[in-house]
Amino acid sequence: KSIKGFREAIIKLAPTVDPAEADEVATTSHRMARQLAKDYRVVGPSVFQNFLVNIGAREKGFCAHYARDIGTRLKELRLKTLYLHWGAADAGTHLEHNVIVVTAVNQPFKEGYIIDGWRNAGRLCWWPVLKDSSYVWKEDFQETAWLHDYELVQAVQAKPAPPKPKTVTP
């Protein structure tokens, strides 16, 4: 139900949005958030997961981990009618929170939807940037540039296999 609602919301961003791309973003975001919660071995509320990461009991589970890992998967989609942004609230403080924001191409960051896998411990939160009463979001342009560095994605995907060891024949 949430995937369908997110898909429809993304389509309504602009008449130029490809419904297939909207579906890919909605489905991928939801599935990745759930998978990452399993991969990060999330327990309890997200702030408790942060505690576990801080004391070394968990390797990952901060909001930036969710944003980076969901962003990595979304950038592989090589979107044409949608644009990914990196959003940060309270940047540089102990309260910093990071998310991915999706907009239509050439649409302002503030008109997009947040993609937040951290807030509900793997259950995707999505809603308009301007209607998020918990945070004041600003775009992190350096991280947004990373989301569009497709050459990096290609280099990782095309990484050659290590050479086979040579065998010596007598």
Side-chain angles (χ1 to χ4, degrees), residues 25-42 65-67 69-71 73-74 115-126:
V25 169
T27 302
T28 300
S29 299
H30 278 82
R31 288 184 179 161
M32 280 298 298
R34 287 186 208 121
Q35 184 59 51
L36 292 172
K38 290 176 187 173
D39 294 349
Y40 300 162
R41 299 178 17 237
V42 171
H65 295 136
Y66 277 96
D69 291 345
I70 291 171
R73 181 63 188 97
L74 290 175
I115 298 171
D116 186 350
W118 173 84
R119 196 178 313 198
N120 285 334
R123 185 168 167 250
L124 191 74
C125 294
W126 61 269

Side-chain angles (χ1 to χ4, degrees), residues 146-164:
W146 167 79
L147 285 166
H148 297 277
D149 183 2
Y150 298 131
E151 288 71 31
L152 181 61
V153 172
Q154 286 177 331
V156 170
Q157 290 175 343
K159 188 176 179 181
K164 293 181 182 178

Side-chain angles (χ1 to χ4, degrees), residues 85-132:
H85 308 258
W86 186 286
D90 300 311
T93 74
H94 72 285
L95 298 174
E96 182 170 346
H97 187 32
N98 298 276
V99 296
I100 302 299
V101 171
V102 62
T103 65
V105 171
N106 296 321
Q107 195 171 43
F109 169 84
K110 297 263 184 192
E111 291 180 21
Y113 283 90
I114 65 165
I115 298 171
D116 186 350
W118 173 84
R119 196 178 313 198
N120 285 334
R123 185 168 167 250
L124 191 74
C125 294
W126 61 269
W127 47 73
V129 170
L130 291 174
K131 292 195 176 176
D132 190 348

Side-chain angles (χ1 to χ4, degrees), residues 59-79:
E59 190 176 320
K60 288 179 127 184
F62 289 147
C63 60
H65 295 136
Y66 277 96
R68 178 73 57 187
D69 291 345
I70 291 171
T72 296
R73 181 63 188 97
L74 290 175
K75 74 190 264 185
E76 291 172 357
L77 300 176
R78 298 182 72 100
L79 303 168

